[in-house]
Amino acid sequence: MSLRVRPATEADWPAIWPILEAVVRPGEVYAVDPAIGEPEGRAYWFSSGHEVFVAEAGGVIVGSYYMRANQGGGGAHVANCGYMTDPARQRRGVARTMCLHSLDHARARGFRAMQFNIVVSTNTRAVRLWDSLGFAVVGRLPGAFHHPREGYVDALVMFQTL
Amino acid sequence: MSLRVRPATEADWPAIWPILEAVVRPGEVYAVDPAIGEPEGRAYWFSSGHEVFVAEAGGVIVGSYYMRANQGGGGAHVANCGYMTDPARQRRGVARTMCLHSLDHARARGFRAMQFNIVVSTNTRAVRLWDSLGFAVVGRLPGAFHHPREGYVDALVMFQTL
């Protein structure tokens, strides 16, 4: 599968929404209301301050990510991203490709680091992927994520200097 | 100085803004644009999802704090607060009183934990205060805050289960 990552516009939203919906509805990996509606989903993904990209395979959108400054003022040099892959296209390098793209883009934008604020510890595939791409666990938040089946599980703060 | 903490309304904004301005302008402790204007300051402090309180001494507002859910979905049981004390009234227990109030209020609201996302490590007075009130350092973000005089300094993630 040849993947291409490009900037998104709101015209891409009809292809992004089913992916976001599929990712958040189970409530297992994303700190977003699993019952989120379409307008709120759009407002969230295309928040002011979010720069949005999509990953395409053969012209079909298979994933999307946003980048933003994680904090304002003295914290504005640290980027934050959220990535979502079509569950039907997982385990094919989509998230890895998007993350590598985001690291390059963050450097080009002048960000000096990237931080993930709430990586669910039971999402071991994601933790391993971010680790393999250079992120270190710099914090562990006890019971900070309420998993629908596992109960209160730890969440990780992951960070890398660019 | 007898302090009273009460819910704020936007009618209190004219008394809160000079405090926010005095706290953020030096750019040393808050991850907010030091050049923030009054309308943006108001939109930030009274963001939807923020519950705002003020601390009064003899009827004069000497501090303010907000409370919000730190994340959505599976992270919504963790509260986050931001506190600001009139610099002319510091070292008189205003921040301590507001934080104790917020811990009680967070419990009453059903939050199960409280997290501070970016405590500037050079702000040793704040770090000591949060420590004395039961917060533990659960993460250290390397160089995540750009201090106007100290350069890139670490920031701390502080957390307590309620």
Side-chain angles (χ1 to χ4, degrees):
Chain A
M1 184 165 65
S2 166
L3 287 166
R4 173 182 168 239
V5 179
R6 63 163 176 83
T9 71
E10 292 213 35
D12 295 311
W13 176 246
I16 298 171
W17 167 239
I19 297 174
L20 192 148
E21 204 178 7
V23 170
V24 305
R25 287 283 184 259
E28 296 182 2
V29 297
Y30 242 85
V32 168
D33 181 0
I36 194 168
E38 189 271 333
E40 296 76 22
R42 182 182 191 136
Y44 163 65
W45 204 247
F46 284 95
S47 295
S48 82
H50 281 201
E51 193 175 0
V52 181
F53 295 85
V54 288
E56 289 180 325
V60 176
I61 291 176
V62 297
S64 180
Y65 82 86
Y66 70 78
M67 180 178 298
R68 63 176 186 126
N70 197 43
Q71 298 282 351
H77 62 286
V78 180
N80 168 251
C81 292
Y83 312 86
M84 293 186 172
T85 301
D86 180 348
R89 306 284 190 134
Q90 277 175 351
R91 297 173 190 260
R92 299 186 206 179
V94 178
R96 173 179 292 271
T97 298
M98 290 194 293
C99 186
L100 287 169
H101 183 277
S102 71
L103 290 166
D104 282 346
H105 186 70
R107 284 185 197 98
R109 284 277 309 275
F111 283 114
R112 300 173 61 101
M114 193 180 293
Q115 180 175 332
F116 301 150
N117 299 309
I118 182 162
V119 180
V120 181
S121 59
T122 50
N123 189 4
T124 51
R125 198 142 47 95
V127 175
R128 273 200 305 270
L129 176 59
W130 305 147
D131 176 78
S132 77
L133 293 172
F135 288 85
V137 174
V138 297
R140 189 172 191 98
L141 312 170
F145 192 83
H146 191 209
H147 189 285
R149 288 176 294 103
E150 309 281 336
Y152 291 96
V153 300
D154 292 352
L156 309 176
V157 181
M158 299 189 75
F159 193 97
Q160 88 167 272
T161 302
L162 299 177
Chain B
M1 184 165 65
S2 165
L3 288 166
R4 174 183 168 237
V5 180
R6 64 162 174 85
T9 71
E10 292 212 35
D12 296 311
W13 176 247
I16 298 172
W17 166 240
I19 297 174
L20 191 148
E21 203 177 8
V23 170
V24 305
R25 288 283 184 259
E28 296 182 2
V29 297
Y30 242 85
V32 168
D33 180 2
I36 194 169
E38 189 271 333
E40 295 76 22
R42 182 182 191 136
Y44 163 64
W45 205 248
F46 284 94
S47 296
S48 81
H50 280 202
E51 193 175 1
V52 181
F53 294 85
V54 288
E56 290 180 325
V60 176
I61 290 176
V62 296
S64 181
Y65 83 86
Y66 69 78
M67 180 178 298
R68 63 175 186 127
N70 197 43
Q71 299 282 352
H77 61 287
V78 180
N80 167 251
C81 292
Y83 312 85
M84 294 187 169
T85 300
D86 180 349
R89 305 286 189 132
Q90 276 175 352
R91 298 173 189 261
R92 298 184 207 181
V94 178
R96 173 178 292 270
T97 298
M98 289 194 293
C99 186
L100 287 169
H101 183 277
S102 71
L103 290 166
D104 282 346
H105 186 69
R107 284 185 197 97
R109 284 278 310 275
F111 284 113
R112 299 173 63 100
M114 193 180 292
Q115 179 177 332
F116 302 151
N117 299 309
I118 182 162
V119 180
V120 181
S121 60
T122 50
N123 190 5
T124 51
R125 199 144 45 96
V127 175
R128 274 201 303 271
L129 177 58
W130 306 147
D131 176 76
S132 77
L133 294 173
F135 288 85
V137 174
V138 297
R140 189 172 191 100
L141 311 170
F145 192 84
H146 191 209
H147 189 284
R149 288 177 292 103
E150 309 281 337
Y152 292 96
V153 299
D154 293 351
L156 309 176
V157 182
M158 300 188 76
F159 193 96
Q160 87 168 272
T161 302
L162 300 178

